[in-house]
Amino acid sequence: MRWRRASQKPADGPAPAAPSSLGERELAELVRRQPVPPHIAIIMDGNGRWATQRGYPRIAGHHEGVKTARAIVKAADAVGVRYLTLYAFSTENWNRPEDEVSMLMSLLERTVQSELPDLMEQNVRLRVIGRIHGVPSGVRRGIDRVVEGTRNNTGLQLQMAFNYGGRDELLDAFRRLAVDVREGRLDPAEISEKDVSGALYTADIPDPDLLIRTSGEMRISNFLLWQIAYTELWITPALWPDFDARTLYRAILEFQSRTRRFGGV
Ligand code: FPP
């Protein structure tokens, strides 16, 4: 176990907070001195408020949000994060006004497509988690191309949660397991956590170590419900377009100073 458990007393207490004057490079250096969480998941929230506060249409906030996402992929990669999962579009987001939904869809598709050269250069592999078959076919085809094109990249693995809902993911998993039971491959009495994890969209991805949420809301919003059982939470009032590499590194530094108990004492 790489992480400090409660029974292992830290030799010199929790790390002191990094001075607020430190820049991105210095913070990255501090982060690299301790084990970096292999998997970070982010609920990117606050694009709409960011735009409204400035008198812009909400879609302008999403455009800024794309710039932040690009910067955060680079920043996470720079300190050795292995998996980054971004909540891009939830199953509940279909309830937004029609024009916002269609603009968001085309923005996400265009963004993913135009990022292909950079993703290749950074050796990033893109995957999608969610009911991808439930999105318009043009959008799906565009995203599939990038998923396919980056399939053999071996660097950071970027999961875009798209048309994603945590309860839907569990329902899909239970349906798969039920088929296995019906066809005699699985004994109901033997169903294990490993079976459930293996039937999720994230089957071959470790659970997130750290979940970040922007814009200060204290909720999980149907994100990775099974996978975050022991994930550390870090919530910032910053709106997503204002989130940056320095804020990411501060979240990781705080994570590194915590003691993870995994239900123990
Ligand atoms: C939250 O803001 C953001 C979203 C609904 C998702 C869209 C995210 C982006 C466009 C960022 C880029 C992501 C990728 C993967 C390229 P909100 O509209 O919920 O804000 P509000 O709570 O202030 O209304």
Side-chain angles (χ1 to χ4, degrees):
M1 173 56 58
R2 290 168 71 199
W3 307 108
R4 196 166 60 223
R5 284 176 173 264
S7 54
Q8 296 170 267
K9 291 266 179 290
D12 46 9
S20 56
S21 58
L22 290 185
E24 183 178 330
R25 276 238 301 274
E26 289 106 324
L27 285 167
E29 233 163 76
L30 279 182
V31 163
R32 280 194 220 97
R33 284 187 197 160
Q34 296 182 69
V36 171
H39 185 173
I40 298 180
I42 307 185
I43 302 176
M44 310 175 287
D45 195 15
N47 292 349
R49 270 163 286 173
W50 183 93
T52 307
Q53 282 169 9
R54 287 162 178 75
Y56 302 149
R58 288 175 57 83
I59 192 69
H62 297 313
H63 277 274
E64 283 303 305
V66 166
K67 291 185 197 162
T68 303
R70 194 178 291 130
I72 294 308
V73 170
K74 289 208 170 90
D77 189 32
V79 293
V81 172
R82 299 292 307 148
Y83 302 88
L84 180 68
T85 302
L86 301 178
Y87 204 177
F89 194 90
S90 76
T91 44
E92 289 75 27
N93 287 154
W94 295 108
N95 300 326
R96 295 183 173 212
E98 217 178 292
D99 61 336
E100 181 174 342
V101 169
S102 70
M103 280 193 273
L104 246 180
M105 282 286 146
S106 78
L107 174 65
L108 288 168
E109 183 211 347
R110 275 184 286 122
T111 301
V112 167
Q113 295 227 56
S114 67
E115 289 305 303
L116 182 57
D118 274 7
L119 295 176
M120 294 308 288
E121 197 184 310
Q122 290 175 69
N123 195 22
V124 172
R125 178 176 179 189
L126 178 78
R127 297 177 70 176
V128 175
I129 57 169
R131 288 184 172 167
I132 186 70
H133 53 270
V135 304
S137 57
V139 175
R140 191 174 67 226
R141 273 198 297 275
I143 291 176
D144 278 351
R145 261 198 297 278
V146 180
V147 170
E148 203 42 54
T150 61
R151 180 174 293 282
N152 295 320
N153 288 352
T154 54
L156 176 94
Q157 192 164 299
L158 174 63
Q159 276 77 235
M160 186 168 85
F162 193 49
N163 196 22
Y164 175 88
R167 288 186 171 183
D168 281 347
E169 179 180 32
L170 285 167
L171 286 176
D172 288 347
F174 298 152
R175 285 177 185 139
R176 284 180 61 181
L177 295 175
V179 171
D180 286 348
V181 167
R182 190 183 61 203
E183 295 181 359
R185 290 190 293 268
L186 189 61
D187 174 354
E190 302 278 307
I191 295 174
S192 64
E193 287 192 10
K194 205 164 157 247
D195 291 320
V196 177
S197 296
L200 298 174
Y201 308 144
T202 53
D204 52 353
I205 299 165
D207 290 343
D209 302 283
L210 173 62
L211 171 63
I212 295 173
R213 179 170 190 144
T214 61
S215 98
E217 312 286 355
M218 301 288 178
R219 49 178 175 262
I220 297 301
S221 299
N222 202 15
F223 193 38
L224 302 174
L225 296 179
W226 174 274
Q227 298 89 333
I228 60 166
Y230 291 105
T231 299
E232 294 292 320
L233 307 180
W234 195 84
I235 295 168
T236 172
L239 303 176
W240 177 247
D242 295 326
F243 190 84
D244 58 11
R246 293 175 67 222
T247 325
L248 173 73
Y249 293 156
R250 288 189 178 283
I252 299 178
L253 286 168
E254 189 182 317
F255 169 88
Q256 289 169 331
S257 76
R258 291 188 190 172
T259 303
R260 300 184 78 184
R261 280 196 279 274
F262 297 97
V265 289

